[in-house]
Amino acid sequence: QKEVEQDPGPLSVPEGAIVSLNCTYSNSAFQYFMWYRQYSRKGPELLMYTYSSGNKEDGRFTAQVDKSSKYISLFIRDSQPSDSATYLCAMGAGTSTDTGRRALTFGSGTRLQVQP
Amino acid sequence: KAGVTQTPRYLIKTRGQQVTLSCSPISGHRSVSWYQQTPGQGLQFLFEYFSETQRNKGNFPGRFSGRQFSNSRSEMNVSTLELGDSALYLCASSLVRKNTEAFFGQGTRLTVV
């Protein structure tokens, strides 16, 4: 079983829809969580970073973390065709020192298509 | 503020050759991590460097190596290339504080023929 599970999609929605993307994880050591957007043939672009359980909002994006359920979500409001990309969740284990591990474990990515 | 810069963007190499990829982190970021991305395995952690020292290593063979210079720039090297090494190699930079965001470059797409 993978440490991080993410539905690969593709997920197709009409323009203006609310999109929900999700990841589950099994490693309790994961303490901080990120969502990346990756366009074809480009590097991942950081969208959201969260450290604690709860919601964090940034424009049309809301990241939600439930550590008790080991479940994270990314919501996109008023989705646009330009949001069509692969969305990757990533997680890191908490460290107690500055030189601790910063290796991220990624989900496999969900391909999103927003239809105009 | 300039982002993470990776060079070259594209490479084609022959089996058995070696290759060196370069990464310049965001100014002020002293931690550099390398990842391999393939359609089958997704993004997998290769190694992390801080203060010119490898701090962490993923589950890759010894053919994959790297180093970091005093200006935080990093290189990774793959020797005796195999067809399966064809991938997008991504570099990420972070501030040296625990649990901070990682910012990625555009990657180097390596094709081994």
Side-chain angles (χ1 to χ4, degrees):
Chain A
Q1 184 187 3
K2 291 183 178 181
E3 279 189 297
V4 180
E5 297 282 355
Q6 184 176 11
D7 188 330
L11 178 62
S12 184
V13 301
E15 184 175 354
I18 296 174
V19 176
S20 172
L21 305 166
N22 311 294
C23 287
T24 59
Y25 62 97
S26 57
N27 188 346
S28 298
F30 290 140
Q31 294 295 318
Y32 59 106
F33 309 88
M34 303 176 207
W35 284 96
Y36 289 87
R37 176 174 63 192
Q38 186 174 26
Y39 292 112
S40 180
R41 309 190 77 81
K42 300 286 189 183
E45 172 193 8
L46 181 64
L47 287 175
M48 300 287 286
Y49 166 83
T50 57
Y51 185 73
S52 56
S53 283
N55 293 354
K56 181 177 180 180
E57 190 174 318
D58 184 0
R60 295 185 298 113
F61 299 95
T62 299
Q64 190 175 78
V65 173
D66 182 347
K67 289 186 180 178
S68 62
S69 300
K70 297 189 179 66
Y71 187 89
I72 70 170
S73 299
L74 177 71
F75 297 97
I76 306 174
R77 290 184 299 281
D78 188 24
S79 56
Q80 303 295 311
S82 59
D83 294 327
S84 298
T86 296
Y87 289 79
L88 298 152
C89 63
M91 309 180 184
T95 61
S96 59
T97 69
D98 283 347
T99 58
R101 294 180 57 184
R102 268 176 293 275
L104 296 177
T105 301
F106 282 82
S108 56
T110 299
R111 190 155 63 92
L112 172 67
Q113 296 172 335
V114 181
Q115 307 293 341
Chain B
K1 187 174 178 180
V4 179
T5 303
Q6 291 188 246
T7 57
R9 289 292 310 280
Y10 303 93
L11 267 179
I12 300 175
K13 291 286 188 179
T14 305
R15 268 184 306 174
Q17 287 187 311
Q18 74 166 14
V19 66
T20 299
L21 313 180
S22 179
C23 172
S24 293
I26 292 171
S27 178
H29 286 194
R30 293 164 58 198
S31 170
V32 173
S33 299
W34 289 88
Y35 292 81
Q36 181 195 64
Q37 186 175 32
T38 59
Q41 299 297 320
L43 266 153
Q44 292 186 291
F45 173 74
L46 279 158
F47 28 65
E48 176 198 0
Y49 285 86
F50 161 62
S51 284
E52 303 175 59
T53 302
Q54 188 180 93
R55 301 291 175 166
N56 196 9
K57 191 178 192 309
N59 189 24
F60 279 82
R63 300 185 296 106
F64 292 81
S65 63
R67 59 178 176 167
Q68 186 180 35
F69 302 95
S70 58
N71 62 358
S72 296
R73 190 177 71 84
S74 177
E75 289 180 348
M76 69 163 281
N77 183 277
V78 188
S79 62
T80 319
L81 284 165
E82 300 176 1
L83 294 179
D85 297 333
S86 295
L88 181 65
Y89 289 89
L90 292 158
C91 165
S93 79
S94 306
L95 286 168
V96 183
R97 280 200 323 264
K98 62 178 181 178
N99 310 332
T100 57
E101 304 97 311
F103 297 90
F104 282 86
Q106 296 284 43
T108 294
R109 184 164 298 278
L110 172 65
T111 302
V112 182
V113 298

